[in-house]
């Protein structure tokens, strides 16, 4: 285990996304606009009418991914969480329809149906980065 700590929490962003806006694309826009290097996505709730995610479906290496895509289908957005390191988001989401829940890696193309509210907290002095190890797996590190 390795961990990184800071007592320098800078800003909190409470973000409202309106119908037709895209979740990951909007987060990336905020990262650029606010020059966010390191942050955590603490919460996200809302509804989507289009969703793209991927999940690992094998235990072998390299892992195989399954991509899911829902279009013109109402989904409840229960959560998005993850880390923004060196300006790059790595986020997972949980969505559900009237029968079951789905979880995976947030992809571009998740469109807001009615509303989406996110909370993002900027972290200072961590200097996080993701580097590939000898197996080509991304590892979170401090610079």
């Amino acid at each position: 285990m390795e961990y990184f700590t800071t007592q320098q929490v800078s800003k909190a962003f409470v973000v409202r996304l309106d119908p037709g806006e895209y979740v990951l694309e909007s987060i990336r826009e905020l990262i650029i606009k606010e020059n966010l290097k390191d942050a955590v996505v603490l919460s996200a709730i809302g509804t989507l009418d289009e969703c793209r995610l991927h999940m690992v479906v094998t235990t072998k290496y390299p892992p195989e991914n399954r991509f899911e895509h829902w279009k013109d289908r109402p989904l409840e957005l229960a959560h998005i969480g993850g880390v923004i390191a060196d300006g790059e988001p790595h986020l997972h989401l949980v969505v559900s329809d009237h029968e079951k829940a789905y979880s995976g890696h947030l992809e571009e193309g998740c469109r807001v149906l009615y509303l989406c509210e996110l909370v993002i907290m900027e972290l200072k002095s961590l200097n996080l980065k993701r580097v590939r190890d000898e197996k080509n797996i991304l590892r979170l590190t401090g610079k």
Side-chain angles (χ1 to χ4, degrees), residues 6-137:
T6 183
Q7 293 184 354
Q8 297 179 5
V9 176
S10 178
K11 297 179 199 172
F13 299 89
V14 178
V15 180
R16 183 197 78 225
L17 300 180
D18 295 326
E21 293 188 290
Y22 289 88
V23 179
L24 183 56
E25 293 86 336
S26 296
I27 292 170
R28 286 188 171 137
E29 183 180 328
L30 178 71
I31 290 168
I32 292 168
K33 184 175 183 177
E34 293 292 330
N35 195 30
L36 292 178
K37 295 298 179 200
D38 299 329
V40 290
V41 177
L42 301 173
S43 174
I45 58 167
T47 55
L48 304 174
D49 65 358
E50 189 167 342
C51 182
R52 294 179 57 84
L53 60 82
H54 82 266
M55 61 191 82
V56 174
V57 294
T58 63
T59 57
K60 66 180 182 174
Y61 186 82
E64 292 179 29
N65 292 302
R66 177 177 173 175
F67 287 80
E68 296 287 345
H69 183 212
W70 296 267
K71 187 174 176 85
D72 296 323
R73 185 166 163 196
L75 295 168
E76 288 291 326
L77 172 59
H79 181 73
I80 296 175
V83 175
I84 297 166
D86 198 24
E88 276 299 315
H90 179 197
L91 307 174
H92 287 235
L93 78 161
V94 179
V95 295
S96 66
D97 60 20
H98 66 283
E99 294 179 342
K100 59 183 168 178
Y102 308 89
S103 177
H105 185 92
L106 177 65
E107 296 287 340
E108 289 187 353
C110 294
R111 187 174 63 193
V112 175
L113 175 58
Y114 299 117
L115 65 90
C116 178
E117 298 169 345
L118 299 113
V119 179
I120 300 171
M121 180 72 67
E122 182 180 27
L123 306 171
K124 292 289 192 179
S125 77
L126 280 180
N127 298 315
L128 297 174
K129 186 177 180 181
R130 289 188 183 87
V131 295
R132 295 202 177 271
D133 68 9
E134 65 280 351
K135 291 185 176 181
N136 203 32
I137 297 171

